[in-house]
Amino acid sequence: MMTTLDSPPLVVLLDDIVRGHRPRTEAGSVPANIPHLQSPPFDRFGIAVATTSGELFSSGDADLPFSIQSISKVFTLAMALGADDSGSLWSRVLREPSGTSFNSLVQLEVEHGIPRNPFINSGALVVTDHLMERTPDAAAQVLRFLTGQVGHQNGRQGPFIDEMAAKSELSSSSRNLALAHFLKEFGNLRRPAQAVVENYVRQCSIMMTCVEVAKAGLFLAQDGRGVQGAVISRSEAKRIGSIMLTCGMYDAAGEFAYRVGLPGKSGVGGGILAIVPGQCAICVWSPRLDSKGNSLAGTAALADLSDRTGWSIF
């Protein structure tokens, strides 16, 4: 049976999930090449649910900011599609699972500079390049979009770019620069490679809480409508959800679909955004990752939540 969104039951359920899934050991790993992701304590765990009826539920460390990393790719894709009147974006990036590492150089060369999907790094660089046609500071544009979707914060800081972290991450972004130069060589990057990578790294370095990510992603659960009106069309919201389901969890999208049954997008900062179409957006965060780069505790918690609520697209 699908659970109802009455406040006490869902609040109790989220508290129980936090108790059951908050890490007790340092299992898993953190990204070795991103210095600022080494610091969060292993036992951090937060979860938030923003509903289409305007309610918000959270538990654990849901109000602590974390680096959203590749979760940003969902928002940049939505922004690019929302401004893409010609439909040209889909001539530059495909919509297929990669089957290889999210930062594979070999696949990009074999496939002549057309990335498999917008959620691997090469695809996200193309999307960022597409956004930069409207403004050279695409990362600031992404931040403004997220701030608008999150809405009034009651005096809280809201989303922000951790510029020091971005600078540190950029210093170890040789592979992303290589991907950008490959794209440039194949004619699939219109802006300078260095500028595109800088914007990409800065958007990945946006800091948000679980509450903020859930609120920002809610437009995907309500036919493309955000707090300030239509972000994308209903059909585009459906299609982004389908790409999240098939490509959103690095090379473990099939396993996530099997265990959780919802469109999701993870980031190596330990966050996962999941969408229940027509009902809610969920964000869970726990920094320790599995071998595929997805939050260990976060994935387990979403599988548990799906089982206990009946939230699934299947």
Side-chain angles (χ1 to χ4, degrees):
M1 290 291 291
M2 189 75 70
T3 188
T4 60
L5 292 180
D6 297 328
S7 299
L10 191 54
V11 167
V12 170
L13 176 57
L14 294 185
D15 286 345
D16 191 51
I17 283 176
V18 169
R19 284 192 296 270
H21 293 280
R22 186 185 292 277
R24 294 175 176 81
T25 66
E26 293 192 47
S29 61
V30 291
N33 64 328
I34 306 180
H36 67 98
L37 297 184
Q38 314 293 311
S39 56
F42 73 89
D43 60 347
R44 293 291 193 213
F45 186 95
I47 188 168
V49 177
T51 77
T52 56
S53 61
E55 295 176 286
L56 181 66
F57 307 90
S58 65
S59 186
D61 299 314
D63 288 317
L64 287 181
F66 66 92
S67 183
I68 66 171
Q69 293 292 314
S70 286
I71 296 175
S72 65
K73 296 171 183 176
V74 173
F75 302 115
T76 56
L77 177 60
M79 292 171 64
L81 290 177
D84 187 28
D85 297 331
S86 65
S88 62
L89 179 64
W90 293 130
S91 67
R92 302 178 61 192
V93 60
L94 304 177
R95 301 178 291 269
E96 298 292 337
S98 66
T100 61
S101 172
F102 62 87
N103 57 3
S104 172
L105 289 162
V106 173
Q107 185 176 64
L108 188 61
E109 182 174 27
V110 168
E111 298 185 345
H112 308 291
I114 305 295
R116 278 285 184 96
N117 66 71
F119 293 156
I120 57 176
N121 287 17
S122 57
L125 289 169
V126 170
V127 173
T128 297
D129 183 59
H130 197 84
L131 288 177
M132 289 174 69
E133 293 178 18
R134 300 176 69 88
T135 172
D137 194 348
Q141 183 184 357
V142 175
L143 182 63
R144 286 193 296 271
F145 170 82
L146 292 170
T147 301
Q149 293 306 310
V150 167
H152 184 61
Q153 289 288 291
N154 293 322
R156 297 181 183 177
Q157 181 174 17
F160 66 96
I161 298 174
D162 187 335
E163 297 288 3
M164 291 298 293
K167 184 177 180 180
S168 173
E169 188 169 340
L170 188 62
S171 69
S172 58
S173 288
S174 297
R175 183 171 285 265
N176 284 330
L177 280 166
L179 289 168
H181 284 294
F182 265 64
L183 290 164
K184 191 76 172 177
E185 177 68 19
F186 282 107
N188 201 10
L189 210 67
R190 296 163 183 168
R191 303 288 170 175
Q194 179 74 30
V196 174
V197 172
E198 286 178 1
N199 270 277
Y200 169 72
V201 169
R202 288 180 68 230
Q203 76 194 27
C204 287
S205 299
I206 291 174
M207 301 290 289
M208 298 177 71
T209 68
C210 289
V211 168
E212 291 166 348
V213 172
K215 291 170 70 174
L218 188 58
F219 71 94
L220 291 168
Q222 48 192 16
D223 297 332
R225 290 176 290 103
V227 296
Q228 297 177 327
V231 175
I232 49 177
S233 68
R234 180 178 182 179
S235 63
E236 286 168 340
K238 179 185 76 172
R239 289 178 170 86
I240 290 177
S242 71
I243 300 171
M244 291 173 71
L245 183 72
T246 57
C247 309
M249 305 297 292
Y250 302 117
D251 199 25
E255 179 67 14
F256 188 83
Y258 177 80
R259 292 181 63 188
V260 179
L262 293 171
K265 183 69 195 87
S266 63
V268 294
I272 302 174
L273 170 65
I275 303 298
V276 186
Q279 294 205 54
C280 63
I282 309 162
C283 180
V284 63
W285 169 59
S286 186
R288 305 292 292 193
L289 310 176
D290 62 21
S291 62
K292 302 294 186 181
N294 301 311
S295 173
L296 267 171
T299 301
L302 286 170
D304 190 13
L305 182 65
S306 175
D307 286 343
R308 294 168 70 174
T309 58
W311 289 342
S312 171
I313 64 170
F314 300 108

